[in-house]
């Protein structure tokens, strides 16, 4: 019997860097389309018009409790939107990657650890672009103070990342 040949693999860092570059190219075409930005801009503008200046302070007409309630209802819809959008983006993308992953894993091109690390390195920043764009359109329309932008951004980012992770778990 012929001896088995063991194929040498590149170091994990090299595997991850190659997979990250490839994933960035494919993600750019998937998520960053003009249609995607237009959809989120129009939805943010719609929310912004529905809650026009809702969080703005007007001393004569608005009590603090009323502003908080308006802002709370706006944030509910924002969080609801970003809790399903990334999930469906990830679930929809995974079946297309599965065939390539299976073929490349059969050829032992890279380890599954390299694939998972590259996926995480790419997905975290990629899934933060559209929520940031969405909030940049929405929050000024709703009159949210600039000092609150960071807190709202952080909450929406955490929700979007958790949603994308849930989508990856469902797809896997």
């Amino acid at each position: 019997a012929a001896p088995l040949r063991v194929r040498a693999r590149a170091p994990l860092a090299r595997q991850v860097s190659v997979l990250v570059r490839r994933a960035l190219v494919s993600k750019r075409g998937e998520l960053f389309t003009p249609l995607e930005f237009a959809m989120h801009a129009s939805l943010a503008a719609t929310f912004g018009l529905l809650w026009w200046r809702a969080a703005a302070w007007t001393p004569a007409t608005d009590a603090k409790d009323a502003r908080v309630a308006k802002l709370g209802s706006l944030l509910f819809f924002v969080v609801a939107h970003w809790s399903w959008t990334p999930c469906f983006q990830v679930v929809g993308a995974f079946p297309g990657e599965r065939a390539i992953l299976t073929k490349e894993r059969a050829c032992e091109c890279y380890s599954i650890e390299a694939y998972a690390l590259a996926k995480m390195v790419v997905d975290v920043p990629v899934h933060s672009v559209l929520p940031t764009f969405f909030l940049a359109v929405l929050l000024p329309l709703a009159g949210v103070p600039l000092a609150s932008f960071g807190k709202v951004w952080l909450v929406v980012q955490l929700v979007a990342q958790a949603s994308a992770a849930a989508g990856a778990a469902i797809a896997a």
Side-chain angles (χ1 to χ4, degrees):
L4 292 174
R5 285 181 55 201
V6 178
R7 201 190 283 185
R9 242 190 240 157
L12 183 65
R14 175 74 178 139
Q15 293 176 40
V16 171
S17 71
V18 169
L19 290 170
V20 163
R21 273 187 258 126
R22 184 175 76 177
L24 283 172
V25 169
S26 72
K27 287 284 184 189
R28 183 177 44 212
E30 287 174 19
L31 296 176
F32 300 139
T33 63
L35 180 62
E36 198 74 28
F37 278 100
M39 180 186 75
H40 287 291
S42 63
L43 188 58
T46 302
F47 281 7
L49 292 175
L50 289 173
W51 278 276
W52 177 255
R53 311 291 298 159
W57 184 71
T58 53
T61 60
D62 247 357
K64 183 178 179 182
D65 293 339
R67 281 196 337 260
V68 169
K70 291 175 188 177
L71 185 58
S73 65
L74 170 65
L75 292 179
F76 169 80
F77 283 101
V78 170
V79 167
H81 171 68
W82 287 108
S83 52
W84 60 266
T85 299
C87 181
F88 286 118
Q89 288 172 339
V90 171
V91 167
F94 192 74
E97 293 178 16
R98 185 173 179 220
I100 295 169
L101 176 64
T102 303
K103 183 178 82 173
E104 291 175 348
R105 286 288 303 132
C107 295
E108 297 181 4
C109 295
Y110 49 81
S111 66
I112 197 68
E113 294 86 7
Y115 175 78
L117 280 171
K119 194 104 171 99
M120 282 189 287
V121 166
V122 170
D123 282 352
V124 169
V126 163
H127 287 293
S128 68
V129 171
L130 285 173
T132 301
F133 172 73
F134 181 86
L135 291 175
V137 173
L138 172 65
L139 295 183
L141 293 173
V144 175
L146 192 56
S148 300
F149 184 84
K151 295 172 190 167
V152 173
W153 180 85
L154 182 62
V155 168
V156 171
Q157 289 300 320
L158 290 173
V159 168
Q161 297 301 328
S163 174
I170 292 167

